[in-house]
Amino acid sequence: MNIVAVVVTYNRLVLLKQNIAALKKQTCLPTHIVVIDNCSTDGTAEFLQTAEGLRVIRTTQNTGGAGGFFEGIKAAVALQADWIWLMDDDTIPHDDALEKMLPYTHQAQVGFINSKVVWKDGSQHLMNRVVFGHQELPENASFPPEMQQKIIRNGSFVSMLIRGDMPFKIGLPYREFFIWCDDFEYSYRMFSHGFVGIYAEESVVLHATAENYTPVLKDIRGQHAWKLYYEERNRTFIDRKHKNPVVFFFSQLNKIRLQRRLIKKRHLPQEEERALLHQLTRGLWDGIFFHPKIEWIDADALTQKNK
């Protein structure tokens, strides 16, 4: 089976080295490791020039995680991947992480498989929780009961294994998202096209962030306010795309009211409160007028290139 690991990196050379070392220690090795260097300035480019066994693509500017995964999936498809293993540079897979996902790849209705993502203390990483959910399975589906309990409707690009033909079926992720919600949208897009996601809890990876946090208002601090902008903009776009216009309008009004109340209740320093409110307002406004388009891989051109 041709499995292509895709790693997106930006200015985290120490973690990238740990990530690559972990990939090369897998009990089931990926066929290729593709590294998307988002124009790093910390010596990553120099390291990657001398590292063995990697295929490296360096962007001309930082395109964020979303832009990196967009390029990485395209590169994996060009390598004729059967499955594509997606992760950031701060993802450190346990030695058997890939092996533990492989038993689920034999079901035709499985579109993506997610590892269990933990933090440094072994607890569930708050940023990478999945949403369980079922859908009406095709009549010819033959999922055993224990697998049906693992079905998820969204996943995280911190160790997501996706079918290699998925970009031909649903297109590529939105590269314009920059960071956050690109994995939520892409996995839900697979789910809404009739492909189930599977939560492979026995496949474990470490998400080596400095803090175990998630971009929700009750937790997020002022230093992450700029990230909150992308969270709000991208989620507003997703809501606008999937909701009735009237429902969307009133839901956004209610969301603004609830967000402001929650921020006020936290009794943050005034400067921190202002930063969060500013990014929320800006993200919501921009999300109303945000119009990214799904991009597709030219199958004919790819066929000619591979001949």
Side-chain angles (χ1 to χ4, degrees), residues 111-245:
F112 66 97
I113 304 157
N114 253 118
S115 299
K116 178 180 181 180
V117 184
V118 300
W119 194 55
K120 298 172 185 178
D121 61 0
S123 63
Q124 169 72 55
H125 201 295
L126 299 176
M127 191 185 296
N128 308 115
R129 289 176 294 192
V130 298
V131 176
F132 288 88
H134 64 276
Q135 65 181 150
E136 185 177 346
L137 299 174
E139 291 183 2
N140 62 344
S142 57
F143 289 102
E146 63 272 17
M147 189 179 292
Q148 292 185 30
Q149 301 303 313
K150 297 173 179 284
I151 292 176
I152 53 178
R153 64 174 63 248
N154 80 283
S156 164
F157 281 169
V158 179
S159 190
M160 178 187 287
L161 190 66
I162 70 170
R163 293 175 61 96
D165 60 353
M166 197 55 63
F168 297 109
K169 297 178 182 295
I170 67 169
L172 292 160
Y174 290 114
R175 57 176 161 180
E176 295 89 347
F177 272 29
F178 193 72
I179 59 169
W180 284 359
C181 298
D182 52 330
D183 46 10
F184 173 87
E185 189 283 329
Y186 198 63
S187 54
Y188 187 73
R189 200 193 309 174
M190 286 187 266
F191 190 88
S192 62
H193 278 73
F195 294 94
V196 303
I198 295 293
Y199 181 52
E201 191 172 10
E202 59 273 35
S203 169
V204 180
V205 301
L206 165 68
H207 192 184
T209 56
E211 307 167 65
N212 188 3
Y213 78 102
T214 187
V216 294
L217 282 179
K218 70 180 182 67
D219 298 322
I220 196 166
R221 302 296 301 186
Q223 65 264 34
H224 298 302
W226 68 274
K227 297 180 181 180
L228 189 61
Y229 163 76
Y230 292 104
E231 164 79 9
E232 185 65 22
R233 184 197 66 176
N234 298 342
R235 282 196 180 273
T236 299
F237 163 75
I238 293 170
D239 286 346
R240 194 187 81 227
K241 182 178 178 182
H242 293 286
K243 289 182 178 179
N244 173 280

Side-chain angles (χ1 to χ4, degrees), residues 220-221 263-264 266-273 276:
I220 196 166
R221 302 296 301 186
I263 290 175
K264 293 291 184 183
R266 291 179 62 186
H267 303 294
L268 297 168
Q270 191 174 45
E271 184 176 341
E272 193 169 353
E273 182 179 291
L276 293 173

